[in-house]
Amino acid sequence: MSKIFTASLLGAIACVIWGALSWMVLQWHSNSLNKFNDESAVAAAITANATHSGVYMLPSTLGSMEHTPKEEIAINRKSAELALKNGPFVYATVRIGSHNPSMPLNLALSFLRSFIACFVIALMLSWTMRLDYLQRVFFCAMAGLFAGLVSDVPMMIWFEEPVRHALISIAGHLCEWFLAGLAIAAFVPGRELWEKMR
């Protein structure tokens, strides 16, 4: 178990370093984001229309169906479908009010996320046998690809995330877990242990 903790620790460090390089040096994530022409006007509209912080969608298909006549439900549904077809469509996280971001706290939470994720991958990898070092590294990299397929592709399918943005995110997962895999695979035994046991 100590090897798994060591692997998780080093893997988490690799993840955090990759995140910093990916967002601050390569900036490929930032380059896939767009900005509004008049941010002040958009901010004012959001402040005036969002009741609380959370995830919002425009057009909204939400609404109370309880005690609503069937005819009105049908009209509302058709109206929402037409608005969705004609656009604009927005899926966004909205924060109302002020917030003081803390880089040390965010880095600590990022490291904790990475450590837990690396621990899960290291534990799964420890259950395999007969894999050599390079195969163990690619096992971790494939976990990154899996993460992209289950998190980014659904956003592309259901919430119209641009293909370029999704592909950059998937590539980011793949690179992150390849680099973490270099550290994890060095400590989690595989074929070497199997050959000793034979």
Side-chain angles (χ1 to χ4, degrees), residues 82-93:
L82 185 62
L84 187 60
K85 179 181 177 182
N86 293 334
F89 173 76
V90 178
Y91 180 85
T93 302

Side-chain angles (χ1 to χ4, degrees), residues 156-178:
M156 187 173 63
I157 294 170
W158 297 105
F159 298 104
E160 302 182 30
E161 180 178 297
V163 174
R164 179 173 178 265
H165 187 79
L167 290 177
I168 287 172
S169 294
I170 292 169
H173 293 308
L174 191 58
C175 292
E176 176 183 13
W177 290 102
F178 174 79

Side-chain angles (χ1 to χ4, degrees), residues 92-181:
T93 302
V94 174
R95 175 179 47 79
I96 303 299
S98 62
H99 172 69
N100 294 320
S102 169
M103 182 62 79
L105 177 61
N106 287 346
L107 283 173
L109 292 174
S110 179
F111 180 82
L112 180 62
R113 185 279 312 186
S114 299
F115 180 82
I116 294 170
C118 287
F119 182 82
V120 170
I121 292 297
L123 193 61
M124 290 170 59
L125 192 58
S126 73
W127 296 334
T128 66
M129 287 286 191
R130 306 186 188 186
L131 297 181
D132 62 25
Y133 174 75
L134 196 56
Q135 289 169 329
R136 296 197 301 275
V137 170
F138 278 101
F139 178 96
C140 296
M142 289 301 100
L145 180 59
F146 177 81
L149 291 174
V150 299
S151 63
D152 297 309
V153 174
M155 293 299 294
M156 187 173 63
I157 294 170
W158 297 105
F159 298 104
E160 302 182 30
E161 180 178 297
V163 174
R164 179 173 178 265
H165 187 79
L167 290 177
I168 287 172
S169 294
I170 292 169
H173 293 308
L174 191 58
C175 292
E176 176 183 13
W177 290 102
F178 174 79
L179 293 173

